[in-house]
């Protein structure tokens, strides 16, 4: 299934959140939706069974695609975990009342982020995710139950358009964290239909600093202990051999 195709679908979730009922599915998500629609009378099924029919080797990927369809309010399901885990899936009547599936098209941005490397995400979708506080840009974010995948790294690719309106893929060129919580990202690519015309996307985000760690009971009783720990955190942060993740944690906990 080609990952380049974007399949428009009518989504009650998109209508409520964006004012437009149109959302876009990847080919894999569309195949899963069609499979569910055509086997809805079959009853409960396992992730392994669904993946075997659709050719998806990862049960986790099947689960992510199901969550995306549920977030768009195209389906609903109940899940039972454990050695006898299974899913009971049903179609959304609200989605059926909007419009049926339409033909695929090559233009337009896919707002469904279902791959670890950041495929099918545009600059507009990237900025919208950051405004909602669920961006894949920020380290330390927990994985969300629904919606686009989160992660510690920024997406390696974006989908953009050249000045002539042609859709093209852009690769990440730079990713800079500036003072005062500002993040500046730069993606570049070329439009083959325009003879190799250069296309660039620059995203600037202002990220609110995370909350500092609350003092422990021992630190509240003994202020000297809190001061000693903060001094130790300063020394560890200044050590160039300290891993980046540890430095970020210390800076967040002690406001370094």
């Amino acid at each position: 299934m080609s990952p380049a195709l974007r399949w428009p679908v009518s989504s009650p979730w998109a209508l409520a959140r964006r004012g437009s009922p149109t959302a876009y599915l990847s080919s894999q998500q569309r195949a899963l939706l069609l499979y569910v629609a055509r086997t809805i009378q079959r009853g409960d099924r396992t992730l392994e069974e669904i993946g075997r029919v659709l050719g998806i080797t990862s049960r986790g990927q099947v689960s992510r695609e199901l969550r995306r369809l549920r977030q768009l309010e195209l389906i609903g399901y109940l899940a039972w975990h454990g050695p006898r885990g299974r899913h009971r899936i049903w179609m959304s009547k609200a989605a059926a009342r909007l419009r049926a599936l339409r033909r695929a098209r090559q233009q337009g941005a896919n707002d469904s982020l279902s791959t670890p490397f950041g495929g099918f995400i545009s600059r507009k979708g990237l900025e919208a995710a950051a405004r909602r506080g669920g961006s894949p840009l920020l380290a330390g974010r927990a994985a969300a139950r629904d919606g686009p995948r989160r992660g510690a790294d920024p997406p390696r690719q974006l989908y953009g358009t050249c000045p002539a309106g042609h859709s093209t893929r852009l690769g990440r060129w730079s990713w800079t964290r500036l003072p005062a919580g500002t993040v500046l990202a730069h993606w570049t690519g070329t439009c083959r239909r325009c003879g190799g015309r250069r296309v660039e996307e620059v995203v600037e985000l202002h990220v609110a600093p995370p909350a500092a760690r609350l003092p422990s009971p021992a630190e509240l009783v003994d202020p000297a202990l809190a001061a000693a720990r903060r001094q130790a955190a300063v020394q560890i942060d200044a050590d160039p051999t300290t891993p980046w993740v540890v430095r970020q944690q210390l800076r967040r906990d002690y406001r370094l």
Side-chain angles (χ1 to χ4, degrees):
M1 294 178 289
S2 172
L5 294 177
R6 269 79 69 186
W7 298 87
V9 65
S10 296
S11 162
W13 178 88
L15 180 62
R17 292 288 295 271
R18 304 170 185 161
S20 170
T22 302
Y24 293 93
L25 303 180
S26 67
S27 295
Q28 196 171 78
Q29 290 163 352
R30 180 179 184 269
L32 177 57
L33 182 61
L34 292 176
Y35 164 79
V36 171
R38 293 173 182 175
T39 61
I40 200 67
Q41 303 299 329
R42 186 173 298 177
D44 300 351
R45 73 283 312 272
T46 65
L47 295 178
E48 183 178 3
E49 175 188 351
I50 298 173
R52 184 168 58 250
V53 173
L54 298 180
I56 304 175
T57 57
S58 168
R59 288 179 294 179
Q61 183 68 20
V62 176
S63 178
R64 285 191 291 270
E65 305 295 28
L66 283 173
R67 291 199 301 267
R68 177 57 177 168
L69 296 180
R70 181 174 65 178
Q71 184 208 18
L72 293 174
E73 299 181 18
L74 302 175
I75 66 171
Y77 63 80
L78 290 174
W80 288 266
H81 302 287
R84 297 184 179 181
R86 63 193 189 280
H87 281 63
R88 179 171 299 167
I89 309 172
W90 60 89
M91 301 297 297
S92 166
K93 294 181 179 179
R97 285 195 296 266
L98 287 175
R99 284 197 304 272
L101 287 172
R102 296 173 293 177
R103 64 181 179 85
R105 64 183 186 185
Q106 293 286 354
Q107 293 80 21
N110 192 322
D111 57 7
S112 177
L113 180 59
S114 59
T115 52
F117 58 85
F120 297 134
I121 188 168
S122 65
R123 172 184 175 178
K124 181 178 179 181
L126 197 64
E127 293 174 337
R131 286 195 299 269
R132 295 194 298 269
S135 168
L137 312 175
L138 309 178
R141 293 280 183 177
R145 187 188 68 177
D146 293 323
R149 286 194 64 185
R150 276 66 167 165
D153 296 326
R156 299 182 192 141
Q157 292 182 331
L158 288 186
Y159 277 82
T161 55
C162 74
H166 303 141
S167 178
T168 184
R169 277 192 300 184
L170 311 176
R172 190 178 73 213
W173 179 258
S174 66
W175 180 260
T176 307
R177 296 176 183 270
L178 303 176
T182 301
V183 175
L184 188 64
H186 188 199
W187 285 264
T188 63
T190 58
C191 179
R192 297 181 181 179
R193 297 175 64 182
C194 291
R197 174 184 290 182
R198 185 179 177 86
V199 183
E200 299 184 14
E201 289 282 8
V202 179
V203 178
E204 183 175 347
L205 300 172
H206 300 282
V207 182
R213 178 183 65 87
L214 295 176
S216 67
E219 293 172 345
L220 291 174
V221 174
D222 185 2
L225 176 61
R229 288 179 175 176
R230 191 179 191 283
Q231 183 60 34
V234 171
Q235 295 175 358
I236 296 174
D237 180 62
D239 186 348
T241 63
T242 303
W244 179 85
V245 174
V246 176
R247 292 203 306 270
Q248 290 296 107
Q249 181 71 36
L250 292 174
R251 292 173 183 177
R252 178 168 62 250
D253 288 349
Y254 295 96
R255 290 291 190 186
L256 301 181

